Amino acid sequence: MARVRPWRRPATLNVPEAADAVEENRARPERAAARGTPGRAERRRGPSGTVRPRGDGLVAAYAVGGYAPYLVRWAAARGLAPETVSGISFCFGALAAVWFSAGSRAGMIAGAGLLYASFVLDCVDGGLARAEGAPGAAWPAGVLGRAKEAAVYAGLAVGAGAEPPGGPGLTGNAWAAAVAALTLLSVRHTMDVSYATSRYGRRPRRDRVRNEFARRAVRALALPAGERFALIAVTAALAGARATFTVLLVWGSAAAAFVLAGHARGSFAHAAPLPGPADR
């Protein structure tokens, strides 16, 4: 049996879902080939042969995951690269920001629909990258995702200024709320990437919750990308931009505390080191 050399610690980026990318790259096909058995990631393949990440929340798994694999297969058959789909997703997000900036109910509804389409394309480009074995596609996708979300927050801040007074949500400067929400998101991602990097090469902890729906519901409490975009789309369409920032800041703060507590618990838990990265 050929000996597989341990992978070097990967360079991480402070980009959306970078921690999930680090965790997914820990299980490499070469380790499964050396053992002669399929890894867990290979046993979680959907209709298109793409890996279904176990870190997805409820929105990615159930609101998009039912048909996203077929879109991945359609895009792969036409030779679309993951970077191309990421660029299209960014354009949809920028259009959503433009509609949000109008501040009208019709603009908020149109922006919500475009933001949902943008997230669907995010899932498609991730599926393409995993199917093609191109981990380098996570870098441009992450950068464009961060820029897209910042543009959406800016559009909501402009739209909040155009809303009539007396609406639901916070009062005062909406730009301060947008900067606070983006800063909170950056802190969250930094914590996730730092924790994932510190645990590289260690045996992953087993999930205490075995039911898939319950596990994803717990993951949704941490407000991943799917839940964030769904929250923005629903609250903006129903209650306006100020209500969106209010819910984002409240839920985002609670999610940051929830994630920090989980990381602290995992850091103090005993984990035996392995000679190579653990196969998920």
Side-chain angles (χ1 to χ4, degrees):
M1 180 180 297
R3 182 179 179 182
V4 181
R5 295 182 180 180
W7 286 75
R8 292 179 297 177
R9 183 182 298 274
T12 56
L13 297 170
N14 184 22
V15 295
E17 320 320 321
D20 292 339
V22 171
E23 289 295 319
E24 286 295 327
N25 288 336
R26 292 172 66 185
R28 306 303 299 176
E30 289 82 355
R31 287 180 58 81
R35 292 194 314 269
T37 57
R40 293 185 183 179
E42 296 179 83
R43 297 195 295 267
R44 294 197 309 272
R45 296 186 180 274
S48 66
T50 58
V51 176
R52 174 169 54 88
R54 63 187 298 186
D56 289 340
L58 292 174
V59 174
Y62 299 108
V64 179
Y67 58 88
Y70 299 98
L71 296 178
V72 173
R73 183 164 55 189
W74 181 89
R78 283 150 183 81
L80 292 178
E83 294 82 0
T84 303
V85 180
S86 298
I88 299 173
S89 173
F90 175 80
C91 292
F92 271 82
L95 288 174
V98 172
W99 278 104
F100 283 143
S101 66
S104 62
R105 179 56 57 88
M108 293 293 176
I109 294 175
L114 289 168
L115 188 61
Y116 175 78
S118 176
F119 178 69
V120 173
L121 292 172
D122 285 341
C123 295
V124 172
D125 81 65
L128 280 174
R130 287 187 291 270
E132 297 176 3
W139 186 85
V143 172
L144 289 177
R146 173 62 60 83
K148 173 180 64 180
E149 197 157 357
V152 167
Y153 289 174
L156 287 170
V158 175
E163 290 179 351
L170 55 84
T171 59
N173 190 353
W175 283 101
V179 172
L182 194 60
T183 302
L184 182 62
L185 186 63
S186 299
V187 172
R188 267 283 316 278
H189 291 148
T190 302
M191 289 193 307
D192 290 343
V193 171
S194 300
Y195 177 73
T197 305
S198 67
R199 290 191 60 83
Y200 188 82
R202 296 184 180 184
R203 188 184 303 276
R205 293 183 294 118
R206 294 184 178 274
D207 291 318
R208 293 179 177 271
V209 182
R210 297 188 178 276
N211 180 270
E212 181 179 1
F213 181 86
R215 184 175 64 247
R216 294 185 185 277
V218 173
R219 170 68 176 169
L221 294 177
L223 204 62
E227 275 65 22
R228 283 198 312 275
F229 288 169
L231 184 151
I232 292 172
V234 172
T235 55
L238 296 180
R242 293 186 179 275
T244 298
F245 283 130
T246 302
V247 179
L248 267 178
L249 290 174
V250 173
W251 192 348
S253 300
F258 175 75
V259 171
L260 181 60
H263 289 348
R265 175 179 172 274
S267 297
F268 287 107
H270 175 73
L274 296 178
D279 182 11
R280 296 189 64 179

